[in-house]
Amino acid sequence: IYGMYFEQIKSAYANTNVPPEEAEFLVSFYTKGLTCLLLDWIRDGMKPSAKELTSKIDLLFKKELILPICKKAEERLKR
């Protein structure tokens, strides 16, 4: 699970100006969080549905986490 998430999140940082060491930290942090979330979901009887959970995770990463973090990191580099 960790390896799969790690590669997906890492690829999201690939085309940004986020320094590699910062990207690696963020990738590790979010990957571990997602792994725990998934394990809790399984333990709790897989509710909500996989589709609902996937939609929430997708929204979280695409609109609320990765893009804003990349923009913030790029702004810091410009200073």
Side-chain angles (χ1 to χ4, degrees):
I1 295 171
Y2 180 88
M4 177 185 70
Y5 279 136
F6 187 87
E7 289 305 316
Q8 288 180 342
I9 296 169
K10 188 175 181 177
S11 70
Y13 287 101
N15 297 320
T16 69
N17 291 326
V18 177
E21 62 279 356
E22 188 169 338
E24 288 293 325
F25 172 79
L26 293 169
V27 168
S28 179
F29 180 83
Y30 292 118
T31 300
K32 289 173 183 170
L34 272 176
T35 301
C36 288
L37 177 73
L38 184 59
L39 292 173
D40 285 349
W41 176 71
I42 292 167
R43 186 195 68 220
D44 294 339
M46 294 192 253
K47 292 181 173 76
S49 71
K51 186 176 182 177
E52 289 175 273
L53 184 63
T54 303
S55 293
K56 288 179 182 181
I57 292 170
D58 190 50
L59 177 68
L60 177 70
F61 273 83
K62 288 185 178 173
K63 295 187 179 166
E64 297 180 21
L65 270 180
I66 292 185
L67 292 178
I69 288 170
C70 290
K71 287 179 185 176
K72 196 75 148 170
E74 288 173 353
E75 288 172 9
R76 280 199 318 251
L77 289 172
K78 291 178 185 176
R79 292 185 211 163

